[in-house]
Amino acid sequence: MGIEAQRTAIARFAETEGISLIGEYIEAETGKGADALDRRPQLAAALAAAKSAKCCVVVSKLDRLSRDVAFVAGLMAQKVPFIVAELGRDADPFMLHLYAALAEKERRLISERTKAALAAKRAAGVKLGNSTNAAEAAVRGRQVQVASAEQFVREMLPLLGAIRAAGVTTIGATTRALNQRGIRSPRGGQWHVSSVTNLLARAHRTA
């Protein structure tokens, strides 16, 4: 389900239910793993905005949040209610857990089918990957790293804006705010003044 399809589904649902949409957060990161929320700054920003505005988070489908039951349960523990347009406004936590379990099973089956297909190709003598032109591969790898860093900054911009709107203006205070909110740095650790300085500099160039 592409972004435009999700946006359309949410807009129609909101219109039908009389819901006012006050913000949009877009993220392509997976919701799998114990540290998934740390790797999803846009979702963290949406939760922070919802807490501040005392409102719900709306998604088109439950698997757009995650196909991981533990992760969905963790989101429920954030004390920010979320509505799944596909399931309706009255879907209770039990129903959400049930659908999350089904989505997790679907993810597992997809993974198993993918592994089986790759194993069959290897057994048939198909060579997977490309070991030629290492220099070109290195350049492309660097391009991917740069693009990933820029994407991370774009995803962080709404959260940085929310922190600034809360009256936090210095780099030191911003560093503390990110760490207090549990937001991980690009390398998955704590934020430091130097890393926040680099983030803000890149954010300025991106903006």
Side-chain angles (χ1 to χ4, degrees), residues 119-186:
K121 286 186 176 182
R122 282 193 291 267
V126 176
K127 187 175 182 180
L128 303 176
N130 181 10
S131 59
T132 62
N133 207 343
E136 181 179 349
V139 171
R140 290 182 178 178
R142 175 58 181 166
Q143 291 173 340
V144 169
Q145 289 180 341
V146 172
S148 177
E150 291 178 348
Q151 177 65 25
F152 180 82
V153 171
R154 284 192 292 270
E155 292 174 349
M156 287 291 292
L157 286 176
L159 181 57
L160 291 173
I163 291 174
R164 181 172 291 274
V168 178
T169 57
T170 67
I171 293 177
T174 301
T175 303
R176 290 190 294 274
L178 289 171
N179 288 328
Q180 288 170 357
R181 291 173 184 235
I183 305 301
R184 297 291 183 179
S185 70

Side-chain angles (χ1 to χ4, degrees), residues 66-74 97-102 104 107:
S66 177
R67 286 190 173 100
D68 186 275
V69 176
F71 182 77
V72 173
H97 273 101
L98 177 61
Y99 275 90
L102 293 173
E104 185 177 86
R107 185 196 71 204

Side-chain angles (χ1 to χ4, degrees), residues 31-111:
K32 179 181 177 182
D35 64 340
L37 187 58
D38 295 335
R39 293 181 282 105
R40 297 182 64 176
Q42 284 292 287
L43 179 55
L47 292 171
K51 283 182 180 179
S52 177
K54 294 182 174 58
C55 64
C56 299
V57 173
V58 183
V59 295
S60 58
K61 299 177 65 177
L62 186 61
D63 64 8
R64 296 305 85 198
L65 277 175
S66 177
R67 286 190 173 100
D68 186 275
V69 176
F71 182 77
V72 173
L75 288 181
M76 293 180 181
Q78 296 288 323
K79 304 302 182 183
V80 175
F82 56 90
I83 299 173
V84 180
E86 183 182 51
L87 302 181
R89 192 168 189 171
D90 298 325
D92 58 27
F94 174 78
M95 183 181 293
L96 293 177
H97 273 101
L98 177 61
Y99 275 90
L102 293 173
E104 185 177 86
K105 178 65 174 178
E106 180 185 18
R107 185 196 71 204
R108 189 179 303 116
L109 291 174
I110 291 173
S111 176

